[in-house]
Amino acid sequence: MTLVLRTTDRTTEPAPALPVLPAGTDPLLQLQYETRPADGPSAIRCVGHSRELALGGIPVMCSACRARRDWLLINHGRDVWIRCRCGNQWLEPDISRADFDALIGGPKGTTYPSVEAGLAALGFDGVFAGINLE
């Protein structure tokens, strides 16, 4: 499965696929390969931000549903995207990777098999579009 982040204003190049070990590989090496932490240039990291988010003094608002809080910030390489619960997502050039790193409290986190599985588990897959979760 090729990982592609969908944005509302720009297309992105698919992330390079990780190498697949041959079927006859040692099971312990296969397990070590599959359970290693997701890091490096192809890693995608997410962090929730439940409060309002202001960039340059201007509050962020979803162009699709007009939500003003409860965001998922997605980092891939140098880019950071903002995703709303309605499923709308856009590249936000005003948030740097350093800003994103400051929001993450530590290396702890949950690893999901795909971006789609992570978005569904976190409730940012668009299922809650039009629902107020307050």
Side-chain angles (χ1 to χ4, degrees):
M1 171 182 210
T2 302
L3 177 65
V4 178
L5 288 175
R6 288 173 273 160
T7 63
T8 56
D9 61 348
R10 180 189 297 184
T11 59
T12 60
E13 295 296 320
L18 294 174
V20 177
L21 292 175
T25 306
D26 181 16
L28 291 177
L29 291 175
Q30 183 73 24
L31 179 64
Q32 181 183 13
Y33 172 78
E34 291 173 356
T35 58
R36 73 176 182 206
D39 58 1
S42 64
I44 295 178
R45 303 177 303 157
C46 301
V47 64
H49 188 79
S50 60
R51 299 179 315 271
E52 286 188 357
L53 186 62
L55 301 174
I58 301 171
V60 172
M61 184 171 63
C62 177
S63 61
C65 71
R66 301 290 195 221
R68 293 180 180 255
R69 59 189 166 135
D70 200 14
W71 308 110
L72 182 68
L73 303 177
I74 304 168
N75 170 239
H76 182 247
R78 293 182 304 208
D79 298 323
V80 176
W81 285 266
I82 298 178
R83 186 170 180 102
C84 180
R85 291 250 183 224
C86 75
N88 187 27
Q89 178 175 309
W90 64 93
L91 178 64
E92 186 52 65
D94 290 340
I95 302 176
S96 68
R97 182 171 178 162
D99 296 332
F100 183 88
D101 290 340
L103 290 173
I104 294 181
K108 296 179 183 178
T110 304
T111 302
Y112 298 98
S114 69
V115 172
E116 291 79 14
L119 294 176
L122 297 171
F124 283 91
D125 57 348
V127 172
F128 294 116
I131 298 174
N132 188 354
L133 298 176
E134 291 184 63

